[in-house]
Amino acid sequence: MNDLGQDLELRLVRYFTVVAAHQHFGRAAADLHVAQPALSRQIQRLEKYLGTRLLDRTPQGTRLTPAGRTFLPQAQALLQAARQAELTVREHARTERITIGYVEDLVITAAVRELRDRHPDAEITTRHLSCRDVGALSDRRVDALIARTPLPLAADKVSTIPLYEEPRMLVVPRGHPWADRASVTAAELADEEAAPCAFGTADWTSYRILGAGVPPIESYEDKLELVASGGAIAVLPLGDRRSSLRPDLVTVPIEGAPPSQVALVSRKGDPNPMIRNLRLAAKAVLATPPP
């Protein structure tokens, strides 16, 4: 007679298979890290549920009864099916999860909202990064990265999908000779005596120090302070609005400068399907630069 109102417990089934494997309650109890009397009681519970004896005690240990020999392969298959079901669910949960990194001035709200609308059951998180922290993609702190190119990442290790481009702008302090200009040209910047060879970096995002003796500056805010004080001028993407928050800075469009490109970057060969889903969502809403 089984335990009415109760379902077969997988824990009891597992206990039975371990005892059957060891053919000894003491060794099975040690393997399961339970007390031997407790293990014996649990096997009795299973036998009561099934309405038959599964194990006989012998001077050497235990042996399977005919019912036990019949039940053992079924018990093993049951445990294997339960384990496979768990692995399947966990794998599904893993692939329905993504962490999206984005760099400094970029706003990715529209892409994240679109992705959540398309996949409401997925776990979608974001992580704000500094421009020096793009290694978060390589060390798997993020699954995908939305950033300005070029990036200090090995081309054979990542997949890069362009999203949109933005023109460049010059940032100068109020009172600068170019502050009232409608625009400046890339050639004028290159010929500027106060900043020779300015902005010749590969990504055309740069600060040019106008005086000697200024130590290296990493903080974005400190760089803006240096520009505002007249110690530097800067070239930034048009979409970087942070300089406009300062009334002592002026932005001037640049003609003839290569555009700044925003791209979605992921690890090459990553099987996470949410990365492809992010690409589709991002291209749908970020195909043009924000106004």
Side-chain angles (χ1 to χ4, degrees):
M1 186 70 177
N2 64 16
D3 294 333
L4 295 177
Q6 296 185 6
D7 295 324
L8 180 61
E9 296 183 32
L10 289 178
R11 178 172 60 93
L12 302 184
V13 176
R14 178 170 174 264
Y15 284 0
F16 163 71
T17 61
V18 175
V19 175
H22 286 285
Q23 297 185 10
H24 194 280
F25 270 92
R27 290 192 291 270
D31 190 5
L32 292 165
H33 303 288
V34 299
Q36 182 173 335
L39 176 60
S40 181
R41 288 194 298 271
Q42 297 305 315
I43 295 298
Q44 290 173 3
R45 281 188 60 200
L46 178 62
E47 291 175 329
K48 181 180 179 182
Y49 179 89
L50 295 173
T52 186
R53 289 187 61 80
L54 300 173
L55 296 161
D56 284 333
R57 291 183 180 271
T58 68
Q60 294 76 30
T62 61
R63 66 184 178 190
L64 291 168
T65 67
R69 289 194 295 272
T70 299
F71 182 58
L72 180 59
Q74 302 295 327
Q76 293 168 333
L78 181 61
L79 293 173
Q80 177 61 30
R83 178 58 177 162
Q84 186 59 49
E86 177 186 351
L87 291 175
T88 300
V89 171
R90 289 183 180 275
E91 179 65 17
H92 177 76
R94 186 191 71 81
T95 57
E96 290 295 316
R97 180 184 303 125
I98 188 171
T99 299
I100 308 165
Y102 62 105
V103 175
E104 292 197 331
D105 65 292
L106 294 178
V107 177
I108 64 169
T109 307
V112 174
R113 183 186 297 117
E114 179 72 12
L115 185 63
R116 286 176 174 154
D117 288 344
R118 295 185 181 199
H119 304 276
D121 296 328
E123 181 180 327
I124 302 166
T125 57
T126 60
R127 185 165 187 167
H128 184 259
L129 305 171
S130 75
C131 62
R132 299 178 300 279
D133 201 22
V134 293
L137 181 66
S138 301
D139 61 24
R140 298 182 180 272
R141 282 177 287 152
V142 299
D143 301 299
L145 177 66
I146 297 179
R148 300 186 187 277
T149 61
L151 296 170
L153 299 170
D156 60 336
K157 301 293 184 182
V158 298
S159 175
T160 302
I161 305 297
L163 295 176
Y164 61 89
E165 294 181 341
E166 292 179 335
R168 310 280 182 174
M169 64 181 179
L170 176 67
V171 182
V172 294
R174 289 197 179 276
H176 188 277
W178 287 341
D180 295 327
R181 292 273 298 271
S183 65
V184 296
T185 66
E188 286 178 301
L189 286 176
D191 292 338
E192 170 66 6
E193 292 184 1
C197 302
F199 321 114
T201 57
D203 63 356
W204 256 77
T205 299
S206 180
Y207 291 79
R208 185 66 180 180
I209 307 300
L210 301 182
V214 178
I217 298 175
E218 293 188 357
S219 164
Y220 182 89
E221 289 72 20
D222 287 339
K223 289 177 179 179
L224 286 186
E225 181 63 30
L226 185 63
V227 173
S229 68
I233 55 177
V235 169
L236 297 174
L238 184 63
D240 189 336
R241 308 291 185 180
R242 292 173 292 178
S243 61
S244 65
L245 299 177
R246 297 193 54 143
D248 49 0
L249 294 176
V250 175
T251 60
V252 182
I254 302 174
E255 298 177 8
S260 169
Q261 184 184 77
V262 175
L264 171 60
V265 187
S266 59
R267 292 180 294 273
K268 188 165 288 187
D270 194 322
N272 187 345
M274 286 301 293
I275 294 175
R276 177 181 179 276
N277 296 335
L278 173 62
R279 289 173 183 165
L280 295 174
K283 292 183 78 171
V285 297
L286 298 182
T288 56

